Amino acid sequence: MTDPDAAFERVLLPVRILAGDGLSPGVPALVGHLPVLLLGYHVIPEQTPPDQARQQFEDRAQGALADLAAAFEGPVETRLVFTHDAEQTVDRVAEEAGVGAVLLPNPIASPERLLVTVHPDVDLGRLASVVARLCEGRDISLTLFAAAEHETDLPAAQLDAVRDRLVDLGIPAGAIRTETRTGEPAVRAIAAAALDHDAVVMGERAPSWRELVFGDVAEQVAAETVGPVVVVRRRD
Amino acid sequence: MDEPVGPSPGGTNVEGDAPRTEPPVADTDDATVHEDGVELERTLGLSGGLAIGVGTMIGAGIFVFPGLAAAEAGPAAAFSFALGAVVALLVALPASELATAMPRSGGGYYYISRALGTLPGAVVGLSLWFGLVFASAFYLVGFGEYAAALLAEAGVSVGVDPVLWLALVAGVGLTVLNVVGTENAAKLQNGVVALLLAILVTFLLYGGLDAAGLVGEASVPEEFVPKGWFPVLTTAALVFTSYLGFAQVATVAGEIRQPGRNLPLAMVGSVVAVGILYVATILVSTSAIPSSRLADFGETAIVEVARSFFGAPGALAILFAGLLATVSSANASILSTSRAVYAVGRDALLPTFASRINLTYGTPHVALGMAGGPILVLVAVGEVELLAEVASFLHLLVYALICVALLVLRRNPPDWYDPDFRVPGYPVVPVLGAIASFALIGFMNRASQVIGLALMVACAGWYAYYARDVTLKGVL
């Protein structure tokens, strides 16, 4: 069955090149079979014009980037950006390259269990599509997860919808289970659930005042969990 | 806007280094793209550009000069400031055109070396560095004055002359802070500028009402031009330091988003904004306190004006604002010195080690140190007016040459010359700009002119020794 959301499947992998951040071996295992855009960026202070950093560090950074790219089997495109503002860079490159998901890298050994969080505000169609592509042809078990204050606020209909969609896209029904938690703040609930999993897949929330004040939910989750977080971008 | 690749610069300097400018593949509104998929992010918006321009300028014009200017020319010093604004605009417009044609970090030095060749470029690039060093020392002394006034206000008395020591401590502190690299320095700068503007506008609004006789006590108006018109011109030359910030915007042209639109807006906008503020400040100050008494208060005269309006809280508010303004101007100037070193070093006019950045903090520690030493020495000299005039002299030289560079490039444009903004009133505006800049230099003190000239000759000498074979004219 053709998947209308399959258009944007590239995964953006932002890495702080030159900061000694490598990529743990599980990351290529997780997304290596998809087209990957490896974005190496280096944040420089305002005292330094980006061109000066480029002149001094370009060769070293390109070398490090090439080493990282070599760990992937599939096609890897690389870009190197010197910037004062990492967030602007990641957003801009994601926009320009039309990527479907951004991976916030954390250590991972091998991807066997994924936690997929479901929330009414996210682009569920694309979320399902990306999850299906991640699991394609591999033996990965999925947990569909939702958290809310009260039982009645749980997005039961959305959970079922995502589950059905995943089955349609070819995931064996037996590999999918559902879990919910109530009474806890969302980030903490997700982090607790993620303890038993290797990576988290989340949808990008619509911009809201909560995000402005408290920061990106996905980034908060990445800070709380051990494993990588794949953020599925909204379609505009 | 794709830029065609121009011819590469040629020649090598005495150590065998060649200029390292590989022209980028493309300049977009948000990033500069180089070969091999390397990009340089543009992160400054219009507000950032305006904050740089206004933030650099506002330290001197309002917080240091009113007392000194009133001493020289009475209330007619308002004309001096207005004249300075006109000259600054005559230069800001050509500079904006050049900046949109070549949105690279480096500012005036870049345009002049590409339009007029290596010798003028070397003289300008290095003179600009000296000019920034003198300007930084000037702002630091101003900071010392304000900090000393704050101590006096608080009733604390130190055994030694506090101005010198406070200025030196501030100088060391700022240099160290910049080497260590501060997070969110730009946001802090924007916040400081916004706060300053808020304080100033309140102060000026009230002062304006007072001057118009609507609030406060009546006062006898004094003669507007008590010392004649010639001092108005010499004062214009003195206070031109107040306008040295707009060109700073061009030095970060490589990092501004939508450069074609934001560069001209930021440069012209900051000159107009501060020009209005300066003229208003002089008028308000001299209507509140007669200029002869204002002169006695020296650099911190504006504090007394605030005291006459609002009492002690007003004086404190202005003292605080003065500290903020002088520190932010000093900081901006110190930062610019390292960018100036980088711009010149990139073209092989300085040894490579001068532009090194360290990986720990990512800052250009060598360039910052190179500026720090001379700045502290000049602060110890402490002659505020001399520092200001030499700084202005060197900057005015650059401004005059910017206008000449525009004329040269427009007469015979290279293929890559395609500015998004074109100077209105060409060729009158750049010609007037060049004449006015040279003329202002003529009105300065003999001592400042001699020192400035000596520094220029020293720069030419360095070029002759180090980089005589480097060619930069007409290349990107």
Side-chain angles (χ1 to χ4, degrees), chain A residues 45-52 54-58 60 62 79-84 88-89 92, chain B residues 20 22 34 36-39 41-43 178 185 255 257 335 339 342 346 355-357 359 361-362:
Chain A
E46 273 113 11
Q47 283 76 4
T48 312
D51 201 39
Q52 189 167 6
R54 180 183 72 88
Q55 302 239 294
Q56 192 156 334
F57 298 128
E58 179 180 357
R60 189 146 97 177
Q62 292 280 36
R79 275 214 228 178
L80 176 61
V81 181
F82 292 92
T83 178
H84 294 307
Q88 177 183 314
T89 299
R92 176 181 65 86
Chain B
R20 286 168 308 172
E22 307 94 6
H34 284 257
D36 300 328
V38 181
E39 296 169 23
E41 194 85 22
R42 292 178 178 272
T43 47
N178 276 307
E255 291 150 75
R257 289 202 297 269
L335 278 187
R339 281 172 194 273
Y342 166 63
R346 187 176 56 185
S355 327
R356 284 208 75 71
I357 51 182
L359 199 46
Y361 301 117

Side-chain angles (χ1 to χ4, degrees), chain A residues 147-205:
Chain A
E149 269 305 310
H150 309 288
E151 280 279 345
T152 44
D153 296 330
L154 286 173
Q158 282 88 348
L159 281 168
D160 287 337
V162 172
R163 183 201 184 85
D164 293 338
R165 189 97 185 85
L166 286 171
V167 171
D168 281 341
L169 289 174
I171 309 289
I176 309 176
R177 53 179 273 270
T178 310
E179 186 183 323
T180 60
R181 282 201 196 204
T182 54
E184 268 184 290
V187 173
R188 210 179 311 160
I190 297 175
L195 284 176
D196 298 326
H197 297 78
D198 297 307
V200 178
V201 183
M202 307 178 59
E204 182 187 16
R205 301 275 179 100

Side-chain angles (χ1 to χ4, degrees), chain B residues 57-432:
Chain B
M57 290 192 266
I58 217 128
I62 301 216
F63 294 100
V64 182
F65 280 127
L68 306 177
E72 301 272 333
F79 279 127
S80 306
F81 278 98
L83 189 58
V86 168
V87 175
L89 263 181
L90 286 175
V91 177
L93 290 169
S96 300
E97 174 172 331
L98 291 172
T100 57
M102 300 177 260
R104 307 257 173 286
S105 295
Y109 157 75
Y110 196 81
Y111 317 141
I112 291 168
S113 57
R114 277 16 184 209
L116 304 175
T118 317
L119 173 57
V123 170
V124 157
L126 299 170
S127 296
L128 206 49
W129 183 84
F130 278 111
L132 288 167
V133 163
F134 274 81
S136 308
F138 165 76
Y139 294 129
L140 284 172
V141 174
F143 171 81
E145 296 276 353
Y146 270 84
L150 190 61
L151 287 179
E153 196 78 13
V156 176
S157 84
V158 191
V160 292
D161 172 22
V163 174
L164 171 64
W165 291 104
L166 289 164
L168 285 174
V169 165
V172 171
L174 280 179
T175 310
V176 168
L177 218 61
N178 276 307
V179 169
V180 167
T182 38
E183 284 259 331
N184 299 316
K187 292 206 186 102
L188 189 64
Q189 175 92 346
N190 287 10
V192 165
V193 172
L195 182 59
L196 269 177
L197 286 177
I199 295 179
L200 283 173
V201 168
T202 319
F203 166 78
L204 288 173
L205 277 177
Y206 184 87
L209 293 174
D210 182 285
L214 295 170
V215 303
E217 315 153 354
S219 54
V220 178
E222 62 174 314
E223 193 189 335
F224 199 71
V225 193
K227 320 228 172 167
W229 287 100
F230 187 73
V232 172
L233 295 172
T234 53
T235 311
L238 168 68
V239 303
F240 192 73
T241 321
S242 321
Y243 291 104
L244 293 188
F246 71 88
Q248 243 53 304
V249 177
T251 61
V252 297
E255 291 150 75
I256 291 198
R257 289 202 297 269
Q258 295 179 273
R261 169 188 168 262
N262 288 336
L263 278 171
L265 275 179
M267 285 211 260
V268 172
S270 51
V271 171
V272 169
V274 301
I276 293 175
L277 285 174
Y278 293 159
V279 170
T281 304
I282 290 289
L283 292 175
V284 160
S285 307
T286 52
S287 83
I289 300 180
S291 51
S292 45
R293 264 184 61 209
L294 208 58
D296 293 332
F297 292 128
E299 285 86 346
T300 51
I302 192 99
V303 176
E304 302 308 320
V305 178
R307 197 193 304 278
S308 77
F309 289 151
F310 299 111
L316 274 174
I318 290 293
L319 266 174
F320 177 64
L323 283 175
L324 282 181
T326 46
V327 153
S328 90
S329 296
N331 190 45
S333 299
I334 292 178
L335 278 187
S336 297
T337 60
S338 60
R339 281 172 194 273
V341 166
Y342 166 63
V344 173
R346 187 176 56 185
D347 288 336
L349 298 179
L350 281 179
T352 33
F353 81 83
S355 327
R356 284 208 75 71
I357 51 182
N358 58 76
L359 199 46
T360 328
Y361 301 117
T363 51
H365 54 288
V366 176
L368 287 169
M370 269 169 58
I375 290 178
L376 293 177
V377 167
L378 288 174
V379 166
V381 164
E383 294 277 332
V384 165
E385 297 192 6
L386 183 69
L387 294 174
E389 284 207 340
V390 175
S392 291
F393 176 104
L394 295 166
H395 279 87
L396 277 168
L397 172 72
V398 178
Y399 295 164
L401 287 178
I402 284 180
C403 296
V404 173
L406 179 74
L407 290 165
V408 166
L409 280 177
R410 279 280 205 112
R411 275 196 94 203
N412 234 340
D415 336 313
W416 47 260
Y417 188 73
D418 182 25
D420 290 330
F421 169 81
R422 288 188 176 259
V423 172
Y426 174 87
V428 176
V429 167
V431 168
L432 272 184

Side-chain angles (χ1 to χ4, degrees), chain A residues 33 36 39 45 49 94 102 129 136-137 149 170 179 184 186 197 200 212 223:
Chain A
H33 58 291
V36 167
L39 170 65
V102 180
S129 166
E136 207 164 55
E149 269 305 310
E179 186 183 323
E184 268 184 290
H197 297 78
V200 178
L212 277 177

